[in-house]
Amino acid sequence: MAIRKLAAVSIAAAVMLGTSGCNFTSPVASMEQYAPSDGSQIDLENVKARNFIYVAGEEFGGLFGTLVNPSLEAQTVRIQYTDATLAEKKSISVNLLPGGVLDIGYNGTAPLLVDLGSTPGAMVSIYLNEGSNSGRELNIPVLDATLPEYQPLVDALNSAVPASAE
């Protein structure tokens, strides 16, 4: 009788371990950070860059993204890129208020019209500097209106004003 109880407990323990073993060795997928959209993201010292994409239009392209300043102090962020037409480096500085959010090309704001000279499906690099800190590279995807959800962004390029670069 005792042998039957011991065998039943052993079989039950083996079944439990066998069916739940993947939980012991696999990381929990929801704990991994990722960009939940087509755009790229990066965290600087105090500022967070979210959902940055470059949209190639028929005439020109534009940079879209969001900068978030969760800190209690104002921050200056410089976006650096290489202009493909002029083959020179340019930069644009933006100021963020404490706790501020700056949408570039989203929520009714205009995108930054820049020529990063790439074709849809490729990746391009920009650099983001926060204050006097050295820049961090951000590789962003180049998209176009092939997918219907990006047609409003391509349409926004038609009404945008070219960015004044330093």
Side-chain angles (χ1 to χ4, degrees), residues 45-47 68-75 96-100 130:
E45 188 173 330
N46 294 305
V47 175
V68 180
N69 177 14
S71 74
L72 299 175
E73 297 178 8
Q75 303 293 330
L96 295 169
L97 297 174
E130 178 186 335

Side-chain angles (χ1 to χ4, degrees), residues 34-105:
Y34 66 97
S37 69
D38 290 334
S40 298
Q41 67 182 20
I42 193 170
D43 291 343
L44 303 173
E45 188 173 330
N46 294 305
V47 175
K48 300 173 186 305
R50 297 291 182 255
N51 200 28
F52 268 77
I53 60 174
Y54 180 71
V55 176
E58 294 174 12
E59 294 182 39
F60 40 78
L63 188 64
F64 291 76
T66 300
L67 295 171
V68 180
N69 177 14
S71 74
L72 299 175
E73 297 178 8
Q75 303 293 330
T76 299
V77 176
R78 188 172 51 195
I79 303 169
Q80 296 177 304
Y81 62 96
T82 301
D83 186 298
T85 304
L86 304 174
E88 64 181 36
K89 293 188 181 205
K90 292 189 171 187
S91 66
I92 298 167
S93 293
V94 294
N95 295 317
L96 295 169
L97 297 174
V101 174
L102 174 64
D103 288 324
I104 302 169

Side-chain angles (χ1 to χ4, degrees), residues 22-34:
C22 59
N23 265 352
F24 292 120
T25 59
S26 297
V28 179
S30 62
M31 298 298 290
E32 294 182 27
Q33 292 186 4
Y34 66 97

